[in-house]
């Protein structure tokens, strides 16, 4: 996992499972006793909550309503707390998130990890004219947020259109601003082509790692029905 003040970035294609992966990270942290704050700028709070329920129970998203007792049983076992907060797209900035974080911590809740889904659709506080400059500012602000509160921050970003046909998504495929990669401490891409979506597979590629090896590619099973993510050794078939 990330250390205090570290900034992690996941990027991949639209519909490739980035949001599911952020939920999987949050769910694991909660299950082992950490308090997670999940900011969603795209999906509603209830929808994100259902995704967490799927990961905690292993029950497909669409079937959760038939298993409310099972969901409650799993919720009761959780060691950490989870707060999901929704802001409409482009209405919230990093300052908005910072103010909310301060309010929550002032009320006595200790926050161990922040998830922002996702950085590209935050509002730039410096009102840059060009998209790449605006995104650069947003990602620097997120890095600053992690440092200010001394907690790990995870977010996701889009790859560009040419990455749709790639087995492994490299750094050159990131959309709009390369500064995102320069700012983050840990960057991993998730590549899922059409056949991967059908077969519930994918490939994780570590693009940047300030604290360990990078350039490694890991095959994975990624099931976007239940949110189950299994990552295998890089040498695995």
């Amino acid at each position: 996992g990330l250390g205090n003040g570290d900034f992690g970035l996941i990027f991949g294609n639209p519909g490739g499972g980035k949001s599911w992966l952020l939920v999987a990270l949050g769910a694991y942290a909660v299950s082992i006793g950490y308090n997670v704050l999940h900011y969603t700028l795209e999906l509603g709070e209830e929808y994100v909550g259902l995704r967490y329920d799927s990961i905690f129970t292993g029950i497909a998203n669409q079937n959760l309503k038939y298993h409310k007792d099972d969901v409650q049983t799993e919720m009761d076992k959780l060691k950490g707390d989870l707060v999901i907060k929704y802001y409409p797209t482009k209405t919230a900035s990093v300052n908005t998130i910072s103010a909310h974080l301060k309010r929550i911590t002032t009320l006595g809740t200790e926050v161990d990890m922040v998830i922002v889904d996702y950085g590209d659709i935050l509002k730039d506080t410096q009102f840059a004219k060009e998209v790449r400059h605006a995104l650069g500012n947003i990602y620097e602000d997120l890095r600053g947020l992690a440092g200010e509160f001394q907690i790990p921050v995870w977010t996701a970003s889009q790859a560009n259109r040419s990455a749709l046909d790639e087995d492994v998504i490299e750094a050159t495929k990131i959309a709009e601003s390369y500064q995102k990669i320069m700012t983050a401490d840990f960057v991993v891409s998730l590549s899922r082509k059409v056949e991967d979506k059908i077969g519930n597979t994918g490939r994780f590629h570590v693009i940047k790692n300030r604290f360990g090896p990078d350039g490694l590619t890991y095959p994975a099973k990624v099931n976007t029905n239940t949110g189950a993510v299994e990552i295998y050794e890089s040498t695995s078939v």
Side-chain angles (χ1 to χ4, degrees):
L2 298 182
N4 288 336
D6 292 345
F7 180 39
L9 172 61
I10 298 156
F11 83 98
N13 297 315
K18 298 184 300 296
S19 292
W20 271 110
L21 189 58
L22 287 172
V23 170
L25 286 167
Y28 181 71
V30 171
S31 72
I32 58 174
Y34 291 112
N35 298 335
V36 175
L37 199 43
H38 188 122
Y39 294 100
T40 172
L41 306 159
E42 205 171 34
L43 305 169
E45 289 169 4
E46 289 184 9
Y47 196 78
V48 175
L50 286 171
R51 288 190 168 191
Y52 272 97
D53 291 346
S54 281
I55 291 176
F56 290 137
T57 60
I59 298 165
N61 222 246
Q62 63 272 23
N63 296 330
L64 284 167
K65 57 182 177 285
Y66 307 120
H67 299 275
K68 289 182 181 176
D69 291 342
D70 295 335
V71 172
Q72 190 58 55
T73 302
E74 291 304 316
M75 294 298 115
D76 294 338
K77 292 178 188 173
L78 298 177
K79 296 174 182 174
D81 288 329
L82 170 68
V83 174
I84 302 167
K85 177 71 177 168
Y86 170 70
Y87 291 110
T89 301
K90 289 287 182 186
T91 62
S93 66
V94 175
N95 289 347
T96 314
I97 289 172
S98 177
H100 184 257
L101 250 173
K102 280 174 184 164
R103 196 161 74 246
I104 279 195
T105 50
T106 304
L107 291 170
T109 303
E110 189 178 335
V111 178
D112 300 305
M113 186 166 97
V114 168
I115 293 169
V116 181
D117 188 13
Y118 58 102
D120 292 18
I121 50 179
L122 282 166
K123 189 167 67 175
D124 174 26
T125 53
Q126 296 172 47
F127 305 105
K129 290 180 182 176
E130 288 192 41
V131 174
R132 62 194 174 95
H133 292 151
L135 289 171
N137 293 338
I138 288 166
Y139 279 78
E140 282 179 355
D141 288 347
L142 282 170
R143 179 79 176 78
L145 182 82
E148 180 189 353
F149 288 92
Q150 279 299 295
I151 47 177
V153 174
W154 280 100
T155 192
S157 183
Q158 300 280 19
N160 60 31
R161 198 178 301 166
S162 63
L164 286 167
D165 302 320
E166 299 288 338
D167 280 332
V168 172
I169 301 175
E170 299 278 3
T172 51
K173 301 296 182 183
I174 197 156
E176 296 291 352
S177 175
Y178 193 75
Q179 201 167 342
K180 299 173 188 176
I181 287 179
M182 292 162 64
T183 306
D185 295 298
F186 181 82
V187 185
V188 63
S189 68
L190 172 58
S191 171
R192 294 180 75 228
K193 300 199 287 190
V194 175
E195 53 267 37
D196 290 306
K197 291 181 180 182
I198 294 165
N200 291 328
T201 55
R203 283 156 307 284
F204 286 95
H205 180 67
V206 181
I207 292 167
K208 177 183 178 182
N209 184 3
R210 281 204 173 125
F211 315 108
D214 54 19
L216 300 167
T217 303
Y218 298 93
K221 287 181 182 175
V222 183
N223 186 333
T224 52
N225 261 336
T226 61
V229 178
E230 294 175 47
I231 300 175
Y232 296 87
E233 291 288 346
S234 55
T235 52
S236 166
V237 180

